[in-house]
Amino acid sequence: MRRIGIDVGGTNTDAVLIEQGKVVRAVKAPTSEDVTTGILDSLQRLGATGVLKSGRVDGVMIGTTHFINAVVQRRHLTKVAALRLGMPASASLPPFCDWPEDLARLVRGGVWMVEGGHEYDGRLFMPLDEAAVVEAAHEMKATGLRSVGISSIFSPLDPSHEKRAAELVAGIIPDASITCSSDLGRIGLLERENAGLLNAALADLARDTIAAFEKAIGDSGIAAPLFITQNDGTVAEAGQARRLPVYSFASGATNSMRGAAYLSGLSDAMVIDVGGTTTDVGQLRNGFPREANSVVKVGGVRTLFRMPDLLSIGLGGGSHVVLDPLEVGPLSVGYRLLKDGIAFGGSQLTTTDIAIASGVLDLGDKEKVAYLDGEICRKVFAEAARMAEEAIDRMKTEAGDVPLIAVGGGAFLIPDRLPGVSRVIHVEHGDCANAVGAAIAQVSGECDQIFKDMTRRDAIDAARTIANDRAIAAGADRKSLATIDSEDMPLAYLPGNSVRVRVRVVGDVAAG
């Protein structure tokens, strides 16, 4: 196995080459404003010694913040036509009804609601009004809309109405980018619909971004398939990621946690990832991040994604430091650290300057920070440790001491001892753990569905088959698939021995 992992952070773009399970080379390059230039630069640095030309590369795995940044920053979003199949029910809560108004204004291209959908047990709720769908498609075309989000009541149980509506819309608008909410899974109409609408709003950005990634890889002379990392610590091949970019929202922090597990050899531990701008704290279970149980909001929009349970605080290697009164973060110089930091000729005091002054880091010009005495440095490090300790305590699920893996370019801020922590583990290549996590990622598939008129065992088997098929569609090798998460819940209030089953499987990337 020979893979390249790349992770685009707010400050640095990290790249690693992993061969036969070992990190052969790791590099950092400043993240560029267009992001793609930083990726190209990191690939050029990675290949500077000729290691990339010494053999075939099996895959390039990239973790990107492009998509979540677009939603949070309200930039590069496409107008979306929202088509809901569920009338006469649900009329009082139309699509976009619970979105922040500023985001809704940018994305809402039009709303159409027609008859269709299914009941909670899979029975037909209303026949699909195909004539109304066709009429809606003509209206979408007339207004110039080319991105469509289709949702239907209980479509995870029966997606047939969404699929048929997509066929009808594609017949009228052949170049339309269509997202069906059933492809995003999980029960819950509004949250699933919101996820579909966000996905549709990212259609153009996903196409352009992934095309730029492919060009950067090609320009570097690397002939290897491209994979994009996902929220749950796995990857999907570029075509799947282009179609469902919302699955990459939280991939950066997840990559770091997976990389921490890989580099430390621990599958159950707390992880603190200190980047240039923020610090993320989470918990590993069986080598994967613990998932959030609650509804996840992205840019103020309620969704039901597979998102890691993380706590983020404004602490990083580029964090602003104010000495009187003492304050660390939350502002950061970000990717401008090498220009704005005092040790690099700038005027902004950062935590990296403190580390250089105290001898922890050998970077920049130490003479420029010589005025920072030992007492000042100790106070800043103590404040950073206090912030980290508080974040770890908030994320722990047990009273006793737990092991902590410290990774990220700013991991020098984490001391070797912390209250509530049995041991602090600093790993080799920990500053590039995010890229390592991307490089070693597997492919996943998930099913969250209600089954009826089946035994419990048959329902679990059916869910596992669906999850396996989705993993294979995302680029997994069928022979390597394994179930890592399975839960079932009998639903006594539904007829026909109904049971809700959620299964998640992972597998190795299929050979090209």
Side-chain angles (χ1 to χ4, degrees):
M1 183 193 74
R2 218 161 175 265
R3 291 185 187 172
I4 294 172
I6 300 174
D7 192 271
V8 184
T11 304
N12 290 306
T13 295
D14 300 337
V16 299
L17 174 66
I18 288 188
E19 188 169 354
Q20 302 305 326
K22 294 183 178 180
V23 179
V24 176
R25 183 168 168 78
V27 300
K28 281 182 177 289
T31 295
S32 58
E33 289 193 39
D34 66 352
V35 178
T36 307
T37 302
I39 291 175
L40 188 57
D41 188 22
S42 66
L43 285 171
Q44 288 172 344
R45 295 187 187 193
L46 198 64
T49 58
V51 290
L52 296 185
K53 297 179 181 179
S54 61
R56 171 186 167 187
V57 175
D58 298 309
V60 178
M61 283 69 176
I62 296 181
T64 178
T65 57
H66 264 73
F67 306 129
I68 193 164
N69 286 350
V71 176
V72 172
Q73 298 172 7
R74 307 327 199 215
R75 300 171 60 192
H76 310 301
L77 299 173
T78 304
K79 288 280 188 185
V80 174
L83 175 61
R84 182 190 289 174
L85 317 175
M87 293 293 280
S90 74
S92 60
L93 295 172
F96 301 106
C97 66
D98 60 343
W99 284 42
E101 187 52 39
D102 64 326
L103 184 58
R105 277 197 306 270
L106 288 174
V107 175
R108 185 172 48 217
V111 172
W112 289 265
M113 295 191 289
V114 305
E115 292 182 355
H118 292 79
E119 296 278 10
Y120 54 79
D121 59 358
R123 289 179 293 128
L124 190 68
F125 172 64
M126 288 288 286
L128 178 63
D129 189 341
E130 295 194 2
V133 172
V134 170
E135 182 181 352
H138 281 295
E139 292 175 4
M140 296 172 193
K141 184 176 183 179
T143 53
L145 294 170
R146 293 293 180 272
S147 191
V148 183
I150 302 176
S151 59
S152 176
I153 297 176
F154 286 105
S155 61
L157 276 67
D158 188 336
S160 58
H161 282 188
E162 284 188 2
K163 301 303 182 186
R164 177 57 180 156
E167 291 176 3
L168 294 172
V169 171
I172 309 264
I173 317 174
D175 60 341
S177 175
I178 301 172
T179 299
C180 291
S181 75
S182 55
D183 289 337
L184 297 166
R186 298 208 172 183
I187 308 297
L189 175 63
L190 285 180
E191 292 83 2
R192 176 168 38 83
E193 179 178 71
N194 286 344
L197 295 174
L198 282 175
N199 193 79
L202 293 167
D204 292 341
L205 179 63
R207 182 191 64 237
D208 296 343
T209 298
I210 293 177
F213 288 170
E214 290 171 333
K215 184 177 186 302
I217 293 170
D219 289 348
S220 298
I222 300 169
L226 170 64
F227 294 84
I228 306 297
T229 60
Q230 310 280 280
N231 300 331
D232 61 354
T234 60
V235 292
E237 60 89 21
Q240 175 89 340
R242 186 184 288 112
R243 191 171 67 87
L244 298 172
V246 289
Y247 274 159
S248 298
F249 272 160
S251 62
T254 308
N255 287 344
S256 294
M257 295 189 68
R258 288 281 290 141
Y262 185 80
L263 292 169
S264 67
L266 296 178
S267 58
D268 294 280
M270 298 295 295
V271 176
I272 187 163
D273 174 25
V274 190
T277 304
T278 59
T279 290
D280 296 312
V281 181
Q283 186 173 29
L284 285 169
R285 286 182 175 169
N286 298 319
F288 284 85
R290 182 181 73 209
E291 286 192 9
N293 291 323
S294 58
V295 169
V296 176
K297 282 193 174 183
V298 177
V301 179
R302 289 165 54 89
T303 65
L304 278 178
F305 290 127
R306 300 171 299 185
M307 297 283 262
D309 188 8
L310 297 172
L311 174 64
S312 297
I313 59 174
L315 174 68
S319 291
H320 290 193
V321 175
V322 178
L323 296 178
D324 190 19
L326 181 62
E327 186 177 2
V328 179
L331 296 178
S332 170
V333 296
Y335 66 86
R336 296 185 59 85
L337 175 63
L338 300 184
K339 293 181 180 179
D340 293 354
I342 289 179
F344 306 100
S347 59
Q348 178 60 56
L349 181 62
T350 69
T351 52
T352 294
D353 293 318
I354 298 293
I356 293 170
S358 62
V360 173
L361 293 179
D362 184 15
L363 296 172
D365 185 353
K366 191 169 182 178
E367 292 299 318
K368 293 183 184 297
V369 292
Y371 70 94
L372 298 168
D373 60 34
E375 184 61 25
I376 290 174
C377 293
R378 279 192 292 274
K379 286 181 178 179
V380 173
F381 276 118
E383 174 62 12
R386 184 199 65 77
M387 295 170 67
E389 177 192 340
E390 181 180 311
I392 293 164
D393 279 344
R394 290 172 62 185
M395 290 301 293
K396 284 171 62 177
T397 56
E398 55 206 85
D401 292 352
V402 294
L404 174 72
I405 310 167
V407 296
F412 58 83
L413 292 170
I414 308 303
D416 290 333
R417 290 186 179 182
L418 279 171
V421 173
S422 58
R423 57 185 173 129
V424 177
I425 303 159
H426 291 268
V427 293
E428 186 181 6
H429 302 299
D431 58 336
C432 293
N434 43 16
V436 172
I440 58 97
Q442 295 175 293
V443 182
S444 74
E446 185 186 47
C447 175
D448 184 356
Q449 194 165 311
I450 297 174
F451 298 88
K452 67 170 187 173
D453 298 325
M454 288 186 180
T455 65
R456 173 178 175 272
R457 175 50 51 193
D458 288 344
I460 293 172
D461 289 344
R464 185 176 292 112
T465 298
I466 294 171
N468 286 344
D469 290 343
R470 289 177 176 171
I472 292 164
D477 177 3
R478 180 183 290 275
K479 294 180 181 178
S480 67
L481 291 175
T483 302
I484 63 166
D485 196 6
S486 178
E487 58 185 9
D488 57 281
M489 181 185 301
L491 303 177
Y493 56 87
L494 297 186
N497 293 323
S498 296
V499 58
R500 180 177 179 178
V501 183
R502 177 175 171 267
V503 172
R504 186 154 68 106
V505 303
V506 297
D508 296 332
V509 173

